[in-house]
């Protein structure tokens, strides 16, 4: 159950960070067009994969 709640928390945190990185008022985020841009994309993708893996692993564990 702890892994399930942790996976859901990671997914929620990822969504909040992603929404925070979206452009607002015609201005892009400060990481856009810099050398850090690919790292931010990889970090967001990794966070989604980690959250989904934790959640699905916990659900499968509960089913068995």
């Amino acid at each position: 159950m702890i892994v399930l709640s942790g996976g859901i928390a990671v997914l929620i945190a990822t969504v909040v960070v992603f929404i925070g990185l979206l452009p607002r008022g015609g201005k892009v985020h400060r990481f856009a067009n810099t050398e850090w841009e690919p790292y931010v994309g990889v970090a967001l993708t990794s966070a989604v994969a980690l959250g989904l893996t934790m959640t699905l692993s916990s659900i499968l564990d509960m089913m068995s």
Side-chain angles (χ1 to χ4, degrees):
M1 194 65 168
I2 294 173
V3 176
L4 178 63
S5 59
I8 292 172
V10 169
L11 287 173
I12 290 172
T14 305
V15 168
V16 169
V17 169
F18 179 74
I19 290 172
L21 292 174
L22 289 175
R24 288 190 188 88
K27 295 182 180 178
V28 296
H29 195 268
R30 63 182 178 167
F31 288 133
N33 300 324
T34 64
E35 65 272 1
W36 290 98
E37 184 178 13
Y39 299 114
V40 173
V42 168
L44 288 173
T45 305
S46 299
V48 169
L50 175 67
L52 287 175
T53 302
M54 289 173 69
T55 304
L56 291 175
S57 172
S58 178
I59 291 171
L60 289 173
D61 191 39
M62 283 188 231
M63 290 174 57
S64 63

